[in-house]
Amino acid sequence: MDNTIRLQYLEAMGIDVWLPRTSLPTKQTLFSEVLIDDAELESKSSVIDDWNNLQIEVTSCKKCTLRTTASQTVFGSGNKQADWMLVGEAPGQQEDEQGIPFAGSSGALLTEMLRAIGLSRKDVFITNVLKCRPPDNRAPHVNESSSCINYLHRQQQLIRPKIIVTLGLIAAQSLLKTNEPLAKLRGKVHMFNDTPVIVTHHPAYLLQFLSKKHEAWLDLTHAIQTFKNNKG
Ligand code: URA
């Protein structure tokens, strides 16, 4: 089927069509074929296919056994063209039930942390290293993180955020492929592919140790500065 017609069908059916931030077509360009050349259309289609394929791959993933115990996969939520990407560890019970990351009390704190720096959950993309809940909320096994991390790489490549903030030790160590403790990883700018990474505490840890909130605040201000430097 012609790609322009396909886009129009998808839109009419109310299906999410994810396009790169730099080339979102207006209705006028979608319906006026002369304004879209073949190369541009091909690149848009490949992005659409990548997002859709990625989500389908995640949903039907069998790389580890977690999909057999999880109720559903938790792909990520928010803005697929976001400048900010936040990465946690793995879905817990509420995320597993609702299909969205950080749906519980630690998620409420995360929303507050974002608000403190002038962002809402709609401005950012939030996901986890693992897309399936480990049973009984146990820590992810190494083979589970290493088979799932490729999905995170692909999400990062599609979103191309200006900054990534990792939440907690597991997310930081998985992204940065290190065994260093959080204390050594905080306060530095790391890289994940071509995106700067700032490491901070997990909101669940902050709910337990309220006195650490000031460290999280320092990390977020560091993230803002790093974001501004990377904005160009
Ligand atoms: N903790 C995480 O790391 N991720 C979630 O989505 C929820 C809790």
Side-chain angles (χ1 to χ4, degrees), residues 74 87-92 95 100-104 106-107 126-128 167 202-204:
V74 181
V87 182
E89 177 181 326
E95 292 75 24
I100 53 167
F102 286 93
S106 64
I126 305 177
T127 189
N128 285 301
L167 306 164
H202 195 285

Side-chain angles (χ1 to χ4, degrees), residues 16-20 44 47-48 51-52 55 75 80-81:
D16 237 2
V17 176
W18 296 324
L19 297 171
K44 282 183 185 121
V47 172
I48 295 164
W51 271 115
N52 292 341
Q55 187 138 17
F75 184 75
K80 280 114 195 158
Q81 294 149 13

Side-chain angles (χ1 to χ4, degrees), residues 84 113-114 116-119 163 165 198 217-231:
W84 289 66
M113 290 162 70
L114 289 171
I117 57 168
L119 296 171
I163 182 103
V165 178
I198 297 293
W217 175 247
L218 290 179
D219 298 335
L220 290 180
T221 51
H222 190 198
I224 293 170
Q225 198 50 55
T226 308
F227 164 68
K228 285 183 180 160
N229 294 343
N230 192 35
K231 216 161 47 144

Side-chain angles (χ1 to χ4, degrees), residues 169-213:
L169 180 67
I170 304 275
Q173 289 186 336
S174 308
L175 251 79
L176 304 174
K177 289 198 166 105
T178 177
N179 289 320
E180 294 265 33
L182 201 80
K184 286 223 168 136
L185 298 171
R186 288 186 51 249
K188 295 176 188 156
V189 181
H190 309 269
M191 294 303 280
F192 181 72
N193 299 327
D194 46 0
T195 304
V197 177
I198 297 293
V199 170
T200 191
H201 295 295
H202 195 285
Y205 174 82
L206 295 174
L207 286 174
Q208 225 181 326
F209 301 98
L210 296 179
S211 63
K212 294 287 180 183
K213 276 189 177 177

Side-chain angles (χ1 to χ4, degrees), residues 34-212:
V34 287
L35 295 180
I36 301 178
D37 66 32
D38 284 351
E40 196 187 349
L41 191 54
E42 200 171 300
S43 98
K44 282 183 185 121
S45 293
S46 82
V47 172
I48 295 164
D49 285 344
D50 281 345
W51 271 115
N52 292 341
N53 289 343
L54 181 55
Q55 187 138 17
I56 290 166
E57 275 182 53
V58 168
T59 308
S60 55
C61 180
K62 291 191 179 108
K63 288 185 189 165
C64 75
T65 56
L66 290 182
R67 184 68 187 90
T68 60
T69 48
S71 324
Q72 59 185 315
T73 53
V74 181
F75 184 75
S77 70
N79 184 348
K80 280 114 195 158
Q81 294 149 13
D83 285 337
W84 289 66
M85 187 168 174
L86 286 93
V87 182
E89 177 181 326
Q93 184 182 351
Q94 295 187 59
E95 292 75 24
D96 181 68
E97 282 164 12
Q98 295 178 40
I100 53 167
F102 286 93
S105 51
S106 64
L109 178 56
L110 181 60
T111 306
E112 282 307 302
M113 290 162 70
L114 289 171
R115 200 166 62 90
I117 57 168
L119 296 171
S120 80
R121 287 177 74 126
K122 286 188 188 148
D123 298 321
V124 303
F125 190 82
I126 305 177
T127 189
N128 285 301
V129 173
L130 291 195
K131 310 303 188 210
C132 291
R133 180 194 182 202
D136 304 321
N137 294 348
R138 66 159 169 76
H141 293 159
V142 174
N143 71 306
E144 292 161 354
S145 310
S146 56
S147 37
C148 219
I149 198 85
N150 180 255
Y151 297 131
L152 190 69
H153 278 278
R154 288 169 65 188
Q155 287 178 315
Q156 181 270 344
Q157 290 295 313
L158 287 167
I159 296 169
R160 298 210 160 271
K162 299 279 193 299
I163 182 103
I164 294 175
V165 178
T166 60
L167 306 164
L169 180 67
I170 304 275
Q173 289 186 336
S174 308
L175 251 79
L176 304 174
K177 289 198 166 105
T178 177
N179 289 320
E180 294 265 33
L182 201 80
K184 286 223 168 136
L185 298 171
R186 288 186 51 249
K188 295 176 188 156
V189 181
H190 309 269
M191 294 303 280
F192 181 72
N193 299 327
D194 46 0
T195 304
V197 177
I198 297 293
V199 170
T200 191
H201 295 295
H202 195 285
Y205 174 82
L206 295 174
L207 286 174
Q208 225 181 326
F209 301 98
L210 296 179
S211 63
K212 294 287 180 183

